Amino acid sequence: MDESSRLHDLYDHQILDSNPEKIFDELTYLASLICGTPISLFSLLDKDRQWFKSVYGIELKETSRADGFCHYLLDGATSLFEINDATNDPRFKDSPLVEGFPYISYYAGAPIKSASGNILGALCVIDQKPNSLNDHQKKALQILAGKATNYLKTRKALIDQQKNIELNASRLKQILDNTPGVIFQLRIQGDIDLSFDFISRGIEDIHPNLSDKKMKEQPRSFLQYIHPEDVMGFRQSIRKSASSLSLYKYNFRILSSNGKTKWYKVRATPQHIDQKTVVWFGTLMDVSGIMEYETILEQITFDISHVIRKPLTTLLALNSNLRNHDELNETDLREYSDMINIVIKELDVFTRKIDQFYQLKVADHQDRM
């Protein structure tokens, strides 16, 4: 027996010093009832003690492992260990558990094992006078110990599953917290009660006064950081989306601590949980750069429409004049040529400015990546 491995297995079950559980109390009750003994115990063997997960017929939480009987099952040599009269057995007659409380005379125990085969303890019955079990009672005690083993395995599997869930949840949270922008799950009940089931730490990048903790404690406090001109539209768009359960998209501004504004886009999918509750699964992204580019593109469009119109009009006029003159002397041609060169230079200067601006934006974008 590898005692180190056995103890590690026992501790991994997270059962020592845990609260009573009905399923184990039922097993000890059935063990006493079937075996006709006044006392039964579900014992787990720690390094230096016997700790009782369940007891029937006695008030006892633990005893010294060395003074007990159950550790004789640890070698796995028998499926049932029985002592008919401990007062006459040289191994036990001097034990304080025999000479004193609980005055053990009779003992029978069946091993309780882990999924890996380690013996963790025993389901045992005790009498304060000599006794013996018949074959049916012995078989029943072994069956009950097997049930205890199965319950422990199920309990351990649930603990492992919970650990995996918590680990995966922790890993997922780390991923979400390091994802650009904000990822959230918002719950709205009626039009009053707001609460964040989850919000990633990206909320801290929006404003120094915001945090995931604050959002969970004071979800409405977010509204005070929205630009005053956008608050009404923000509220109305939420109500509209909630009533229709349509995809929610809205652009709005946030007032930063230095007085400047940034543009953000919220995108969320609302879903009814019940008649009064809507849950939103969504993201919040900084789109200031996009809004800036859109503004620039609008300006470029304006410039193309208005600035280029003048030289194009001039070229069209020159072209018309050339078509209407049947004969042109050298002076006229030189004059037209000079005018065309002026227009070409104007267009060249304008296109160069657009190209320089584009190159600066490309370099700025690469620096941010």
Side-chain angles (χ1 to χ4, degrees), residues 5 14 40 49 83 107 109 117 130 158 164 166 184 207 225 243 276 319 324 334 341 346 367:
S5 172
Q14 298 182 18
S40 61
R49 62 171 177 156
I83 302 297
Y107 171 93
L158 291 174
N164 288 332
E166 291 174 356
F184 64 88
H207 196 281
Y225 299 99
S243 62
K276 295 182 179 180
N319 182 60
N324 293 329
R334 186 177 295 108
N341 283 332
E346 288 181 356
D367 290 340

Side-chain angles (χ1 to χ4, degrees), residues 43-280:
S43 171
L44 294 167
L45 297 171
D46 200 353
K47 182 179 179 182
D48 299 312
R49 62 171 177 156
Q50 287 186 141
W51 179 79
F52 305 117
K53 174 63 178 175
S54 175
V55 298
Y56 177 79
I58 192 174
E59 292 292 331
L60 194 64
K61 291 185 177 181
E62 62 181 58
T63 66
S64 167
R65 171 172 159 173
D67 295 334
F69 292 66
C70 295
H71 65 276
Y72 282 87
L73 287 158
L74 290 180
D75 60 7
T78 179
S79 58
L80 185 77
F81 182 64
E82 185 178 33
I83 302 297
N84 300 106
D85 185 1
T87 60
N88 290 321
D89 191 307
R91 292 171 295 179
F92 303 106
K93 65 179 182 178
D94 296 325
S95 168
L97 301 179
V98 175
E99 292 183 331
F101 182 81
Y103 303 102
I104 299 174
S105 180
Y106 175 78
Y107 171 93
I112 295 173
K113 299 179 180 181
S114 70
S116 57
N118 285 312
I119 297 174
L120 305 180
L123 179 64
C124 55
V125 292
I126 293 172
D127 204 339
Q128 294 170 327
K129 64 180 187 299
N131 200 345
S132 63
L133 301 182
N134 60 43
D135 290 342
H136 294 299
Q137 290 172 320
K138 291 177 181 179
K139 183 63 175 177
L141 185 60
Q142 290 173 301
I143 290 173
L144 290 175
K147 293 291 184 184
T149 293
N150 291 334
Y151 288 137
L152 271 186
K153 290 178 181 178
T154 301
R155 188 180 184 280
K156 175 66 164 49
L158 291 174
I159 290 174
D160 290 343
Q161 185 180 57
Q162 183 62 33
K163 285 182 179 179
N164 288 332
I165 291 174
E166 291 174 356
L167 178 61
N168 290 333
S170 176
R171 288 174 176 170
L172 178 60
K173 188 177 186 305
Q174 290 180 12
I175 292 172
L176 295 179
D177 283 340
N178 288 281
T179 300
V182 182
I183 299 173
F184 64 88
Q185 180 177 321
L186 174 66
R187 185 179 298 266
I188 303 178
Q189 292 179 304
D191 192 32
I192 300 175
D193 187 15
L194 277 70
S195 60
F196 281 99
D197 296 330
F198 173 82
I199 185 165
S200 64
R201 292 183 63 183
I203 191 69
E204 298 175 0
D205 297 330
I206 293 179
H207 196 281
N209 293 341
L210 293 175
S211 67
D212 53 344
K213 181 180 179 181
K214 182 176 181 179
M215 287 296 91
K216 290 179 180 179
E217 294 175 350
Q218 306 172 41
R220 287 185 176 275
S221 64
F222 181 76
L223 295 174
Q224 72 187 66
Y225 299 99
I226 298 178
H227 195 285
E229 295 177 4
D230 298 338
V231 173
M232 183 62 71
F234 185 84
R235 289 177 178 271
Q236 291 175 347
S237 62
I238 287 180
R239 292 193 187 100
K240 181 179 178 180
S241 181
S243 62
S244 62
L245 292 184
S246 58
L247 178 65
Y248 178 61
K249 293 187 291 184
Y250 190 73
N251 292 346
F252 61 96
R253 290 164 290 176
I254 291 286
L255 290 170
S256 63
S257 56
N258 59 9
K260 295 183 178 180
T261 61
K262 282 189 174 183
W263 280 96
Y264 285 88
K265 180 173 186 174
V266 60
R267 182 185 179 95
T269 302
Q271 178 179 332
H272 261 306
I273 301 300
D274 53 46
Q275 291 184 346
K276 295 182 179 180
T277 305
V278 177
V279 172
W280 303 67

Side-chain angles (χ1 to χ4, degrees), residues 5-23:
S5 172
R6 191 195 72 81
L7 287 173
H8 183 273
D9 200 357
L10 173 63
Y11 300 149
D12 206 32
H13 279 72
Q14 298 182 18
I15 193 171
L16 288 175
D17 301 308
S18 61
N19 293 324
E21 296 178 46
K22 182 180 178 181
I23 193 67

Side-chain angles (χ1 to χ4, degrees), residues 289-304 354 357-358:
I290 296 175
M291 298 298 289
E292 179 185 349
Y293 281 124
E294 288 182 354
T295 302
I296 292 169
L297 286 175
E298 289 178 0
Q299 184 62 46
I300 290 174
T301 302
F302 176 84
D303 289 343
I304 291 174
I354 292 178
F357 176 80
Y358 173 77

Side-chain angles (χ1 to χ4, degrees), residues 307-340:
V307 177
I308 297 182
R309 183 178 298 173
K310 178 183 175 181
L312 287 179
T313 300
T314 303
L315 285 176
L316 288 172
L318 289 172
N319 182 60
S320 178
N321 289 334
L322 287 171
R323 285 177 173 271
N324 293 329
H325 281 79
D326 295 332
E327 295 182 4
L328 291 173
N329 55 42
E330 185 177 345
T331 302
D332 292 332
L333 288 174
R334 186 177 295 108
E335 182 179 349
Y336 280 120
S337 176
D338 290 342
M339 294 175 67
I340 290 172

